[in-house]
Protein backbone atom coordinates (compact mmCIF):
# COMPACT_ATOMS: atom_id res chain seq x y z
CA UNK A 1 0.00 0.00 0.00
CA UNK A 2 2.84 2.38 0.86
CA UNK A 3 4.41 2.02 -2.56
CA UNK A 4 1.11 2.46 -4.35
CA UNK A 5 0.32 5.67 -2.49
CA UNK A 6 3.85 7.05 -2.86
CA UNK A 7 3.72 6.40 -6.61
CA UNK A 8 0.50 8.39 -6.85
CA UNK A 9 1.51 11.34 -4.65
CA UNK A 10 4.09 11.37 -1.86
CA UNK A 11 2.17 14.02 0.07
CA UNK A 12 -0.71 11.57 0.48
CA UNK A 13 1.46 9.31 2.60
CA UNK A 14 2.33 12.28 4.82
CA UNK A 15 -1.39 12.95 5.28
CA UNK A 16 -1.99 9.31 6.22
CA UNK A 17 0.88 9.32 8.70
CA UNK A 18 0.49 12.80 10.17
CA UNK A 19 -3.23 13.37 9.96
CA UNK A 20 -5.41 15.68 7.89
CA UNK A 21 -4.63 19.29 7.03
CA UNK A 22 -6.90 21.70 8.87
CA UNK A 23 -6.79 25.31 7.66
CA UNK A 24 -6.39 27.66 10.62
CA UNK A 25 -6.30 31.38 11.21
CA UNK A 26 -4.79 33.42 14.01
CA UNK A 27 -7.08 35.50 16.16
CA UNK A 28 -5.40 38.70 17.39
CA UNK A 29 -6.40 38.90 21.04
CA UNK A 30 -4.29 36.30 22.90
CA UNK A 31 -2.92 35.01 19.55
CA UNK A 32 -5.06 31.88 19.32
CA UNK A 33 -5.26 29.69 16.24
CA UNK A 34 -8.73 28.55 15.28
CA UNK A 35 -10.01 26.56 12.30
CA UNK A 36 -11.15 28.62 9.32
CA UNK A 37 -14.74 28.48 8.15
CA UNK A 38 -15.40 27.15 4.66
CA UNK A 39 -15.99 30.70 3.43
CA UNK A 40 -12.46 31.71 4.50
CA UNK A 41 -10.66 28.94 2.59
CA UNK A 42 -8.09 29.99 -0.03
CA UNK A 43 -7.22 27.92 -3.10
CA UNK A 44 -4.21 26.38 -1.31
CA UNK A 45 -6.45 25.37 1.59
CA UNK A 46 -8.94 23.73 -0.76
CA UNK A 47 -6.19 21.79 -2.54
CA UNK A 48 -4.79 20.52 0.76
CA UNK A 49 -8.25 19.44 1.89
CA UNK A 50 -8.76 17.66 -1.45
CA UNK A 51 -5.58 15.67 -0.73
CA UNK A 52 -7.11 14.59 2.59
CA UNK A 53 -10.13 13.20 0.76
CA UNK A 54 -7.98 11.66 -1.97
CA UNK A 55 -5.91 9.76 0.60
CA UNK A 56 -9.09 8.57 2.29
CA UNK A 57 -10.56 7.48 -1.06
CA UNK A 58 -7.47 5.42 -1.95
CA UNK A 59 -7.59 3.59 1.38
CA UNK A 60 -11.33 2.93 1.19
CA UNK A 61 -11.18 1.71 -2.42
CA UNK A 62 -8.32 -0.65 -1.53
CA UNK A 63 -10.25 -2.71 1.01
CA UNK A 64 -13.04 -5.25 0.89
CA UNK A 65 -16.56 -5.09 2.28
CA UNK A 66 -15.61 -6.92 5.50
CA UNK A 67 -12.93 -4.38 6.32
CA UNK A 68 -15.14 -1.47 5.34
CA UNK A 69 -17.40 -2.13 8.31
CA UNK A 70 -14.40 -1.56 10.59
CA UNK A 71 -13.47 1.82 9.13
CA UNK A 72 -16.78 3.32 7.97
CA UNK A 73 -16.96 5.61 11.03
CA UNK A 74 -13.41 6.93 10.60
CA UNK A 75 -13.21 10.61 9.69
CA UNK A 76 -9.65 10.85 8.34
CA UNK A 77 -7.17 8.79 6.34
CA UNK A 78 -4.98 8.52 9.43
CA UNK A 79 -7.84 7.03 11.47
CA UNK A 80 -8.55 4.54 8.66
CA UNK A 81 -4.88 3.55 8.44
CA UNK A 82 -4.59 3.06 12.21
CA UNK A 83 -7.79 0.98 12.31
CA UNK A 84 -6.52 -1.25 9.49
CA UNK A 85 -3.12 -1.63 11.14
CA UNK A 86 -4.69 -2.64 14.44
CA UNK A 87 -7.04 -5.09 12.70
CA UNK A 88 -4.27 -6.79 10.71
CA UNK A 89 -1.17 -6.44 12.86
CA UNK A 90 -2.71 -5.98 16.28
CA UNK A 91 -1.53 -3.69 19.01
CA UNK A 92 2.00 -3.83 20.40
CA UNK A 93 0.78 -6.10 23.18
CA UNK A 94 -0.80 -8.50 20.68
CA UNK A 95 2.41 -8.60 18.65
CA UNK A 96 4.48 -9.35 21.76
CA UNK A 97 2.02 -12.05 22.78
CA UNK A 98 2.30 -13.69 19.35
CA UNK A 99 6.10 -13.63 19.59
CA UNK A 100 5.97 -15.21 23.05
CA UNK A 101 3.63 -17.98 21.88
CA UNK A 102 5.78 -18.76 18.85
CA UNK A 103 8.95 -18.77 20.95
CA UNK A 104 7.37 -21.16 23.46
CA UNK A 105 6.16 -23.44 20.66
CA UNK A 106 9.65 -23.48 19.17
CA UNK A 107 11.28 -24.27 22.51
CA UNK A 108 8.84 -27.11 23.16
CA UNK A 109 9.45 -28.53 19.70
CA UNK A 110 13.24 -28.76 20.15
CA UNK A 111 14.36 -32.28 21.06
CA UNK A 112 16.50 -33.15 24.02
CA UNK A 113 19.86 -34.58 22.89
CA UNK A 114 19.73 -37.48 25.36
CA UNK A 115 16.11 -38.47 25.05
CA UNK A 116 14.89 -41.55 23.15
CA UNK A 117 11.93 -41.05 20.85
CA UNK A 118 9.90 -44.10 19.86
CA UNK A 119 7.18 -44.92 17.37
CA UNK A 120 4.46 -44.18 19.93
CA UNK A 121 6.01 -40.79 20.73
CA UNK A 122 3.56 -38.03 19.77
CA UNK A 123 6.30 -36.06 18.01
CA UNK A 124 7.88 -38.71 15.79
CA UNK A 125 6.72 -41.48 13.56
CA UNK A 126 9.95 -43.52 13.69
CA UNK A 127 12.33 -44.54 16.47
CA UNK A 128 15.81 -43.04 16.82
CA UNK A 129 18.17 -41.67 19.46
CA UNK A 130 19.68 -38.21 19.28
Amino acid sequence: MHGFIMADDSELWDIIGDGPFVPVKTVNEPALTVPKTRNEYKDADRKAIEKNFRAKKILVYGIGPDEYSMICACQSAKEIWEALQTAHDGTTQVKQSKINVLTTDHELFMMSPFRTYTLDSPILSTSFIL
Side-chain angles (χ1 to χ4, degrees), residues 24-87:
V24 293
K25 64 180 178 180
T26 304
V27 179
N28 291 339
E29 257 319 290
L32 296 173
T33 56
V34 294
K36 291 181 181 178
T37 63
R38 292 180 63 90
N39 296 339
E40 297 173 322
Y41 289 172
K42 307 283 186 225
D43 286 339
D45 296 333
R46 292 185 193 285
K47 288 185 186 221
I49 290 170
E50 285 177 14
K51 286 189 182 270
N52 291 338
F53 287 108
R54 203 161 128 219
K56 188 175 173 182
K57 179 181 80 170
I58 288 172
L59 291 174
V60 170
Y61 284 5
I63 61 173
D66 295 335
E67 293 170 324
Y68 182 77
S69 63
M70 293 184 302
I71 58 101
C72 63
C74 296
Q75 297 296 315
S76 68
K78 181 177 181 161
E79 289 177 15
I80 292 171
W81 184 252
E82 289 172 350
L84 291 172
Q85 273 188 313
T86 302

